[in-house]
Amino acid sequence: MRADLLQHAAGPDLEKGGPDAPEWQDVYARRDDYSAGSVPPPGALILFAGAEVQKDSTEVTMWGFGRNRKRWLVEHWVLKGDTSRSEVWTELVAMFSVTWEHAGGSEMMVLD
């Protein structure tokens, strides 16, 4: 019963290879060619980051956003440590003051 409830709340199953599933080659061909930790060319115009704070860690994800709702994952970090201690927050604040080099040569920062 619990599995049924979770499935009902989470949504319908997707069948592997079902009629709406794209071919893996098509998905693979759509990938962008950039490395994590770099701002992808050509379209990232602004950087945003979000943090999920838990008792013993903080997960931070940074995204680059461009025109037409295009977005790229720039970086994801897991900061380990008791979030009731100031050292964890100091490390998080420092992350938001780092500059990132855009493919065009300019420097970008996360906007708050």
Side-chain angles (χ1 to χ4, degrees), residues 17-89:
D20 296 331
E23 295 295 323
W24 73 265
Q25 297 91 337
D26 295 336
V27 175
Y28 184 77
R30 292 181 56 202
R31 76 193 185 285
D32 287 323
D33 185 23
Y34 71 96
S35 301
S38 64
V39 178
L45 303 174
I46 192 168
L47 298 177
F48 285 100
E52 178 185 345
V53 180
Q54 300 295 325
K55 185 176 181 177
D56 61 349
S57 66
T58 302
E59 294 204 22
V60 182
T61 305
M62 181 187 302
W63 293 89
F65 287 88
R67 290 185 173 89
N68 299 319
R69 299 182 184 173
K70 181 78 173 171
R71 64 189 178 278
W72 300 266
L73 174 64
V74 175
E75 192 64 82
H76 180 84
W77 301 273
V78 178
L79 306 176
K80 297 288 185 182
D82 183 349
T83 55
S84 67
R85 300 185 64 204
S86 63
E87 294 85 7
V88 174
W89 295 101

Side-chain angles (χ1 to χ4, degrees), residues 91-112:
E91 187 176 357
L92 180 63
V93 169
M95 291 174 69
F96 288 99
S97 63
V98 172
T99 58
W100 296 78
E101 185 175 346
H102 189 275
S106 61
E107 289 188 347
M108 301 176 76
M109 290 182 71
V110 173
L111 298 179
D112 56 0

